[in-house]
Amino acid sequence: ALVNHNGLSCFLYLGGIIVDEFGASPAYSDGISALLTHYSGKVLQQLSEDDGFRNHPDTVDDFFRLAIRVTQKCPQVLFASDTFLPILDAAVRGLHVHHKEALVSVCEFLDTLFSTAAREQHLRAEVSRRVVAGGFGDQLMTQALFAVLFSLPRHLINHISVVYQALSQFDPDAFQLFLAHAFQALSVREETAKNKVSEQQMRACYDQLTASPGHREVAKTLKQFVKFYR
C-alpha cells in the first residue's frame, strides 16, 4: 500500500540499499528474492502500459539500478527468479528509451549481466543456456541495432554501444551470429529499401562491428552507418 501511495522510485532506491548491505550473504537470499519479485511485478506492469517506458523513465532508471545491484551482489537470486526472463525482455524494450539516465541503467544492467556471468563457470553456463541459446540474444542484437537506426538520438548511441561489447566479450561466436541475424532483419525493413541501403554497405558495417567490438569502435561505426537512414 505504501508503494502504491508514494510511488515506486523511492522504494526501488531503498531496495538497492538493502541489496548493497545484505545481498552478498546467503542468509538473506530468500528476502532479496521476495523483494525482487515484488518490485518486478509492479514495475513490469507499469512499463507494459502504452508508452510505459516513455512515461516512467525514473522508474526505468531506478529499477534497473536495483537489478544491477542484485546481479553484482547475488546473481543466483536473479537467475533463479521467475522474473528473470521478463526483466530481460524489459531490458530489450528499454533500449529504445530516449531518457539518458534510463538508457544508461538498462545498458549497464546488460553489461553487468554478461560480465558477471563470464567470471563464474556455473553462471556462464546458466546465461548461455537461458539467454544466449534461449532466443534472447537474437532479440537483443536486433533491437540494439534497430534502436540506433530508428529510435535513439545520435548523442545516445555511445551508451548502447556497451551492449555490443558485452555480448561480444561473453561469447564472440554468438555475437557474430546474432548480429548477422539482426542485419538480415534490417535488410527487409521498408526503411532499407526506401533509403537504398545496399547489401555491401550493410556487410561493411557488420564486418567493422565484428572486427573491432570495443564500445568506442562500435559507437563510431554505428554513427557512420546511421547516416544512411537519416
Side-chain angles (χ1 to χ4, degrees):
L2 280 173
V3 174
N4 292 333
H5 178 70
N6 294 308
L8 280 170
S9 285
C10 65
F11 287 93
L12 292 169
Y13 174 75
L14 291 173
I17 294 175
I18 292 171
V19 174
D20 280 340
E21 187 70 24
F22 303 107
S25 173
Y28 295 98
S29 292
D30 288 346
I32 300 297
S33 178
L35 180 150
L36 180 65
T37 298
H38 179 73
Y39 287 132
S40 294
K42 292 183 175 297
V43 170
L44 296 176
Q45 180 180 4
Q46 190 176 79
L47 298 183
S48 69
E49 301 169 358
D50 291 341
D51 293 325
F53 284 84
R54 182 189 299 272
N55 294 335
H56 305 287
D58 291 341
T59 298
V60 175
D61 182 18
D62 293 329
F63 176 69
F64 281 101
R65 288 289 166 196
L66 173 62
I68 289 168
R69 288 182 172 91
V70 174
T71 306
Q72 292 171 331
K73 296 288 186 177
C74 44
Q76 70 285 351
V77 169
L78 175 67
F79 296 150
S81 174
D82 291 340
T83 64
F84 178 46
L85 293 181
I87 290 172
L88 292 182
D89 179 67
V92 171
R93 290 183 287 128
L95 294 174
H96 294 266
V97 68
H98 284 208
H99 188 278
K100 178 182 176 181
E101 286 74 19
L103 179 65
V104 167
S105 293
V106 169
C107 294
E108 286 187 3
F109 164 69
L110 293 167
D111 182 29
T112 302
L113 173 71
F114 287 114
S115 62
T116 300
R119 290 194 294 268
E120 298 187 39
Q121 188 58 40
H122 71 286
L123 297 180
R124 174 182 283 276
E126 183 76 3
V127 170
S128 295
R129 179 179 66 85
R130 297 183 66 190
V131 179
V132 176
F136 172 73
D138 269 331
Q139 298 176 45
L140 175 63
M141 291 314 305
T142 297
Q143 293 309 313
L145 182 60
F146 287 4
V148 166
L149 298 178
F150 308 123
S151 299
L152 297 178
R154 183 180 176 87
H155 70 276
L156 292 180
I157 292 175
N158 286 345
H159 304 295
I160 207 169
S161 65
V162 301
V163 176
Y164 290 73
Q165 177 179 272
L167 181 56
S168 69
Q169 291 179 343
F170 180 78
D171 190 333
D173 291 339
F175 168 70
Q176 293 180 19
L177 177 63
F178 297 148
L179 187 61
H181 291 168
F183 274 98
Q184 289 173 359
L186 178 64
S187 69
V188 298
R189 292 271 305 216
E190 180 182 349
E191 296 91 340
T192 298
K194 180 180 178 181
N195 290 289
K196 299 180 179 179
V197 182
S198 69
E199 181 180 346
Q200 291 76 16
Q201 289 168 324
M202 288 189 286
R203 180 70 197 191
C205 181
Y206 171 85
D207 289 342
Q208 289 176 321
L209 290 172
T210 53
S212 301
H215 70 92
R216 292 183 177 85
E217 293 82 4
V218 166
K220 181 179 179 180
T221 298
L222 291 173
K223 287 179 179 178
Q224 292 173 340
F225 187 63
V226 79
K227 293 176 182 178
F228 295 124
Y229 287 86
R230 302 184 186 179

